[in-house]
Amino acid sequence: MPENAQQFASDNYSGICPEAWAAMAEANQGHQRAYGDDEWTARAADHFRRLFETDCEVFFAFNGTAANSLALASLCQSYHSVICSETAHVETDECGAPEFFSNGSKLLPAKTENGKLTPQAISEVARKRQDIHYPKPRVVTLTQATEVGTVYRPQEVRAISATCKELGLHLHMDGARFSNACAFLGCSPADLTWKAGVDVLCFGGTKNGMAVGEAIVFFNKALAEDFDYRCKQAGQLASKMRYLSAPWVGILQDDAWLKYAKHANRCAQLLANLVEDVPGVSLMFPVEANGVFLQLSEPAIAALTARGWRFYTFIGAGGARFMCSWDTDEARVRQLAADIREVMCA
Ligand SMILES: *Cc1c(COP(=O)(O)O)cnc(C)c1O
């Protein structure tokens, strides 16, 4: 298998989509004001306001860890806590950055069903302790689509937000794969966010065709106070900001973001369909976004790896994660499915 063959380990193995690339090339002409004071950044923010049908505040960071951590820090004091799912990226994959940037706000993992938090699980954690010795719950963070490839329905987000209101909690959404969630549900980005009570969304670009960059979208504008200073202090203020913002113009202006997310989701469905009848293979979670989580045998996992396939197996014994991306080639999906069949039947 060639070194640069398409893989399924992560959607960020993929490159840059033509729309983002073209926008960067277009932005790469002449001089522009620095630090976000340029026309591309203004245009990108306007595209977000149009997409979300509301007057939101938009910021850009280099990656998702920074976007999540800084957004959560802006919702918390250091003595507060953040309720998240036990499988949340902020809990398991950000090296303590949310705690670091908030000066100590503690993450409180809650139980999930298919990767999703429920009003009941949130309520249990929030009500567990209400004394001075325990960090005061202040925020709930949801991942949409979740780390296991499932998607919160708008009514599920609304129910969680109602619980948040009752308990005095802000609602943050880690949307590293927000595009895939929108593509799956076919509903408007507004319905999935501020109309359902989300205060702040971290909207992922990297996993859906951009080189770098996540947008932090504040629907509750009061919470965005001084957020620009927070980004700067954290080393997240790009001086040549146009190269972070122009690709957003590229993927938002003609809905490439949605086209690519639909494609990635479709490839995941195809993979799931192609292996579903293989003896010994079972789906660990419903396939809703662009990830397929399969229970395979240990020898089969070793054999696939020996054949050159790359995928993640962090989900416990026998679990394998396959992610599809904006540019996944259907032929490659079929090749993978055929190999899974062969190694499982060997
Ligand atoms: C990829 C990802 C992020 C962002 O990760 P970075 O590597 O920091 O860009 C955030 N949340 C989830 C759920 C992710 O999958």
Side-chain angles (χ1 to χ4, degrees), residues 186-265:
C187 70
S188 79
D191 280 336
L192 257 192
T193 55
W194 63 274
K195 287 187 179 173
V198 172
D199 293 303
V200 186
L201 167 72
C202 293
F203 192 147
T206 313
K207 289 184 175 128
N208 196 28
M210 282 175 44
V212 279
E214 316 279 304
I216 302 112
V217 184
F218 283 88
F219 304 109
N220 180 342
K221 289 170 64 170
L223 295 171
E225 194 187 337
D226 292 343
F227 194 75
D228 43 354
Y229 286 87
R230 214 180 265 289
C231 288
K232 172 68 189 182
Q233 186 183 47
Q236 289 288 322
L237 177 64
S239 70
K240 290 189 177 176
M241 183 69 92
R242 62 180 143 148
Y243 297 103
L244 285 198
S245 54
W248 280 109
V249 174
I251 68 166
L252 293 180
Q253 64 187 355
D254 295 316
D255 286 340
W257 68 280
L258 194 56
K259 170 182 75 176
Y260 288 133
K262 281 182 183 164
H263 171 79
N265 291 3

Side-chain angles (χ1 to χ4, degrees), residues 24-324:
M24 282 176 90
E26 212 187 308
N28 194 32
Q29 296 186 20
H31 285 202
Q32 278 278 346
R33 282 192 294 274
Y35 299 109
D37 207 14
D38 63 282
E39 65 176 292
W40 285 97
T41 304
R43 276 175 68 192
D46 283 340
H47 275 293
F48 279 102
R49 288 188 270 269
R50 206 163 306 142
L51 180 67
F52 284 97
E53 308 167 63
T54 188
D55 185 24
C56 44
E57 287 243 26
V58 185
F59 302 86
F60 300 96
F62 289 104
N63 63 24
T65 298
N68 282 334
S69 302
L70 296 173
L72 291 173
S74 73
L75 306 182
C76 280
Q77 297 291 333
S78 57
Y79 50 84
H80 283 141
S81 54
V82 176
I83 300 172
C84 64
S85 89
E86 58 206 350
T87 51
H89 197 272
V90 290
E91 162 73 3
T92 64
D93 291 289
E94 297 190 356
C95 196
E99 294 91 332
F100 177 76
F101 282 111
S102 61
N103 289 311
S105 302
K106 188 177 165 68
L107 296 184
L108 303 178
K111 283 203 232 22
T112 52
E113 290 166 21
N114 281 335
K116 293 193 256 183
L117 286 170
T118 60
Q120 198 201 336
I122 291 166
S123 198
E124 262 168 40
V125 171
R127 293 181 201 276
K128 190 169 85 171
R129 288 274 299 273
Q130 290 175 333
D131 58 83
I132 193 77
H133 304 286
Y134 198 69
K136 188 179 179 183
R138 188 68 176 130
V139 184
V140 168
T141 174
L142 305 180
T143 309
Q144 176 76 315
T146 70
E147 287 78 2
V148 296
T150 53
V151 172
Y152 288 94
R153 308 303 189 266
Q155 62 268 28
E156 290 176 314
V157 181
R158 284 199 299 271
I160 285 171
S161 133
T163 301
C164 290
K165 294 240 155 55
E166 252 170 61
L167 297 166
L169 307 171
H170 294 308
L171 186 54
H172 165 262
M173 184 174 271
D174 173 354
R177 300 190 181 89
F178 182 72
S179 305
N180 303 93
C182 291
F184 171 69
L185 294 168
C187 70
S188 79
D191 280 336
L192 257 192
T193 55
W194 63 274
K195 287 187 179 173
V198 172
D199 293 303
V200 186
L201 167 72
C202 293
F203 192 147
T206 313
K207 289 184 175 128
N208 196 28
M210 282 175 44
V212 279
E214 316 279 304
I216 302 112
V217 184
F218 283 88
F219 304 109
N220 180 342
K221 289 170 64 170
L223 295 171
E225 194 187 337
D226 292 343
F227 194 75
D228 43 354
Y229 286 87
R230 214 180 265 289
C231 288
K232 172 68 189 182
Q233 186 183 47
Q236 289 288 322
L237 177 64
S239 70
K240 290 189 177 176
M241 183 69 92
R242 62 180 143 148
Y243 297 103
L244 285 198
S245 54
W248 280 109
V249 174
I251 68 166
L252 293 180
Q253 64 187 355
D254 295 316
D255 286 340
W257 68 280
L258 194 56
K259 170 182 75 176
Y260 288 133
K262 281 182 183 164
H263 171 79
N265 291 3
R266 216 166 24 238
C267 288
Q269 283 297 339
L270 175 65
L271 176 60
N273 294 342
L274 289 171
V275 300
E276 131 191 287
D277 67 327
V278 175
V281 171
S282 60
L283 275 184
M284 299 171 74
F285 303 99
V287 178
E288 297 183 339
N290 58 327
V292 181
F293 292 74
L294 298 177
Q295 196 78 55
L296 303 172
S297 68
E298 289 292 349
I301 285 177
L304 283 175
T305 306
R307 288 181 183 209
W309 294 104
R310 298 285 166 263
F311 49 95
Y312 287 168
T313 53
F314 57 77
I315 326 112
R321 183 189 87 163
F322 300 91
M323 298 303 300
C324 298

